[in-house]
Each structure stands twice: as C-alpha cells, then as structure tokens.
Amino acid sequence: MASLMTGCALIQGLFHEIGAGGREIPREEVLSYLTDLSSRGELLAGTQVNEYEVSIACDSMDRLVSMTGKEPAILGLELMFAATYDGYDDALVAHARAHARRGGLVTLAWHQRNPLKVCPRGEFYDCSKTPMRDDEFERMLTPGTRENALWRADVAATAETLKRLQAEGIPILFRPYHEMTGDWFWWGQKAAFPELWDALYDELVGVHGLNNLIWVWSGDRDAERAAQYWPRRHKPDVVGTDVYESSNQSPNYTAALPELRRLAPEAPFAFTEVGKLPAPSVLDAARPAWVLAWGGEFLNADWVQTWDCSSCNSEGDVKAFFAQPRVKALDDMPIALRRSIAGRVPGPAANRPECPSSLLELSEQ
C-alpha cells in the first residue's frame, strides 16, 4: 500500500489534480483562498441540505435564500444513502453540480453505517450509531479479515459517487467520521481512530484514485483529547468543530482551538456544523474560514414541531448573521475562483421556489 500511495502522490505532484474530464480541479486554489479568508477575519457562510431534502422543493438552502436574500457560498450534502438508495446518488450529484456550476463550494458529510451490522430498514443515521466493539474495530482495520472486506465494500460503493463528482471537476470539502471525539457514532472515541482515517485515505486516494477531496477533520465542540484521534500518516487539510449550544457565545465554540492550532498550525479552521450561529465575539476569536449552519429547524426555531430546540436560531438571528460584512455569500467570492470551481463562466443565481414561512402564507398564495 505504501508504494501505491507514493506513486499516487508523485502523479498528483507532477500533473496537479486533474478530473476525469480533463479539467484541473482547483484543490490548492480553494485551500489557499480559505487560508487567506481566515487571515482577514472573513468567512464563507453555508447550510446543510440533508438526505431527506434532496428530492423536495424548498430545501434548507432554498429557505435560507428566502430568509436572507443571499445565496450561501457553501452547500452541505450527505453521502449516507448514495450507495444504496435508488435515485439518491443522482439527486446528490445534481445538487452538487448546480452549486459548483455557479462557483460555489460543496462539503460532504458521511454518516457511514456500521458496516459489520445489518441495517434492516436502511435508516443509516441510526445504523451509524450502532456500537462497534474494540475487537471488531481492530479486525475491521486488519487486511484479509471478513470485517475489513465489509468495510472496504462500503467504502468502494460510496467511492462511486465521489468519482462522479470528480468527473465533473468538483472539489469537495470531504468530512468523514466527524465528531470522533464523542461516543455516539461507531467510530467515536476509538483508540484506533487514526488508523481508520488513514485507511480511508488509502482506499479513496490510493485504490480509487480520488484527487478532488479536501480532507476535513472535525471534532465535537471542545474536541476533547483531539491528539488521540489525530491521523498519523495523512494529515487533514482543514480542521473544525461541530458546535450545538444554547448560547451563541458559549466557550465551547473556541475551546478546541489551542489544541487544534498545535496539531495543525497551518490548516484553516472552520465551524463545520453549528446549531446556533456564533456571536461576533466568537468569530473574532476563532476566525473560521466558514460556518455551516445545520438545516431545517436550526435555521428557524418557529419551524420546530415535536421537540425543544435550544440550539436553533430565530429568523432574526440568521438575518443578522448574514448581514455582517465579514460573512461572505456566493456572490462575494472572487470571480476567478468561482470560474475555476465552475470550470467556466459561473452560471446565474438559482431559480429557487418561493418558500412560505407559515401555513397562513401558504393559504394566501
């Protein structure tokens, strides 16, 4: 595997990152821009469009545009169903393509199901929280075992979607195995997590030839004991944290920074998932390259129906956040970078549906 990876690195160094369609993928250009953006105290704004939203009108991106009048720079999508749900792969790629053709950035999360267990109803988020014993985890990382074959098969199936995005020339902010510092996913708080990260890199880059991925390591909140979960061989390109707090000034927004800066002093930092959008004082301290607001009810607490969301925003919170000069929407990104991402002159703004904010509005239409 080491010789394969060395060969892959040499090819990338000689020929840059070239998509299957022959177009150069602006991976380093994107990273340079994110680093520069953070150094100026500016940031890109984005939101997550989750798995159940990719086939409906008025998804979270549509609703956010309706609220703010601005097209977010970053679109978040979820990989978990791409390998098995008919039509999901096409819907995900279509969303990513449309945003990239306007010059926007795409970030992908992957709630991988526990590959050693049966996921009977395809509820992959629940399956990603099915525990894995430490001995099973070790066997999964051991070549030649049944467990390793099951994991590699899952990775290979998901790699097919990533290859489609590479063929389109789309750079991806790829965020696998997030919140590993917590204990709710099967990969969480595992002593061998660094080996899992490195093994996934070896598979996707060395075996499947993917070169459009910008690797994002994101812990939970204060990313407690981050060094224990730090990759050994393949360091992340970007570091970040996922923060869900009842106060937008919680110290947990910035608690991980000292350790992450020690581990990756040159890597851009991002708020890779947030409930409440962080306060200006938090942005001053953290200088994130981007902030990804989780979608759905987190964009507007008035939409909550069955639970109490203390980490949701009000519509006023969202509008105030996007109104800050430091917060950059899609149209604020440099046109040269947008052209590189799009592979051509960036397309016009999306033709988005009108999204009612209440049933009363809907009845009046």
Side-chain angles (χ1 to χ4, degrees):
M1 183 62 73
S3 61
L4 179 60
M5 291 304 302
T6 302
C8 179
L10 285 172
I11 291 171
Q12 288 184 356
L14 289 171
F15 299 106
H16 308 289
E17 289 82 1
I18 306 296
R23 181 166 72 82
E24 183 171 337
I25 298 173
R27 185 180 178 281
E28 296 305 321
E29 191 177 354
V30 170
L31 267 174
S32 177
Y33 172 64
L34 293 174
T35 301
D36 184 55
L37 199 68
S38 175
S39 72
R40 299 197 305 268
E42 298 174 344
L43 61 105
L44 298 179
T47 195
Q48 181 76 10
V49 171
N50 257 325
E51 68 284 355
Y52 53 86
E53 297 184 89
V54 297
S55 60
I56 64 172
C58 288
D59 62 30
S60 290
M61 182 72 88
D62 296 328
R63 293 188 181 279
L64 189 56
V65 174
S66 293
M67 290 167 65
T68 65
K70 296 184 178 182
E71 188 89 11
I74 298 182
L75 168 65
L77 294 167
E78 171 59 58
L79 270 170
M80 75 169 87
F81 293 134
T84 58
Y85 273 39
D86 288 345
Y88 184 86
D89 180 62
D90 291 337
L92 183 149
V93 171
H95 274 68
R97 179 194 302 118
H99 193 66
R101 292 299 174 258
R102 296 191 293 272
L105 290 171
V106 176
T107 180
L108 290 182
W110 186 27
H111 292 83
Q112 184 188 10
R113 61 185 174 182
N114 182 332
L116 310 187
K117 304 292 184 181
V118 174
C119 190
R121 289 179 295 277
E123 295 153 347
F124 284 11
Y125 181 69
D126 288 341
C127 295
S128 72
K129 295 187 290 183
T130 302
M132 184 183 294
R133 298 194 312 268
D134 288 346
D135 62 307
E136 292 176 321
F137 198 89
E138 291 289 347
R139 288 197 299 275
M140 186 189 70
L141 293 171
T142 303
T145 63
R146 169 184 171 275
E147 291 84 355
N148 181 253
L150 289 170
W151 173 77
R152 291 187 67 198
D154 238 23
V155 172
T158 299
E160 293 306 307
T161 299
L162 298 173
K163 289 175 184 177
R164 289 185 64 184
L165 296 167
Q166 177 169 277
E168 300 264 2
I170 301 173
I172 297 295
L173 299 165
F174 181 53
R175 193 168 66 96
Y177 302 141
H178 67 303
E179 299 175 11
M180 75 299 290
T181 55
D183 64 357
W184 38 90
F185 297 123
W186 62 261
W187 58 83
Q189 294 188 352
K190 295 295 185 184
F193 179 85
E195 297 172 42
L196 175 64
W197 174 282
D198 287 338
L200 181 65
Y201 188 101
D202 288 342
E203 287 293 307
L204 293 181
V205 177
V207 175
H208 294 285
L210 289 160
N211 54 31
N212 62 327
L213 306 180
I214 296 170
W215 290 74
V216 182
W217 184 103
S218 62
D220 178 61
R221 298 178 186 173
D222 59 355
E224 188 177 6
R225 299 185 300 278
Q228 294 183 23
Y229 311 109
W230 196 248
R232 304 290 186 254
R233 292 184 289 110
H234 302 300
K235 306 305 181 185
D237 301 302
V238 178
V239 297
T241 53
D242 298 355
V243 184
Y244 292 85
E245 295 285 339
S246 58
S247 168
N248 69 350
Q249 301 181 65
S250 168
N252 276 334
Y253 281 95
T254 55
L257 280 172
E259 181 68 353
L260 294 181
R261 288 285 176 244
R262 184 185 71 81
L263 291 167
E266 304 300 323
F269 170 81
F271 286 123
T272 43
E273 272 186 47
V274 297
K276 278 193 179 297
L277 291 160
S281 58
V282 172
L283 300 178
D284 289 340
R287 302 174 77 89
W290 78 80
V291 174
L292 187 83
W294 207 246
E297 298 93 333
F298 290 98
L299 297 177
N300 189 337
D302 290 343
W303 300 338
V304 176
Q305 297 184 43
T306 60
W307 54 298
D308 178 22
C309 184
S310 62
S311 53
C312 288
N313 298 281
S314 69
E315 184 172 352
D317 293 336
V318 174
K319 289 179 176 178
F321 183 84
F322 272 78
Q324 296 177 77
R326 75 174 106 197
V327 176
K328 304 302 178 184
L330 178 60
D331 287 345
D332 299 317
M333 292 175 63
I335 190 63
L337 177 62
R338 291 179 62 195
R339 183 189 289 266
S340 293
I341 294 169
R344 60 185 185 188
V345 175
N351 183 21
R352 298 194 176 276
E354 292 188 21
C355 299
S357 60
S358 70
L359 287 175
L360 180 61
E361 268 187 49
L362 188 62
S363 66
E364 292 173 346
Q365 289 183 2

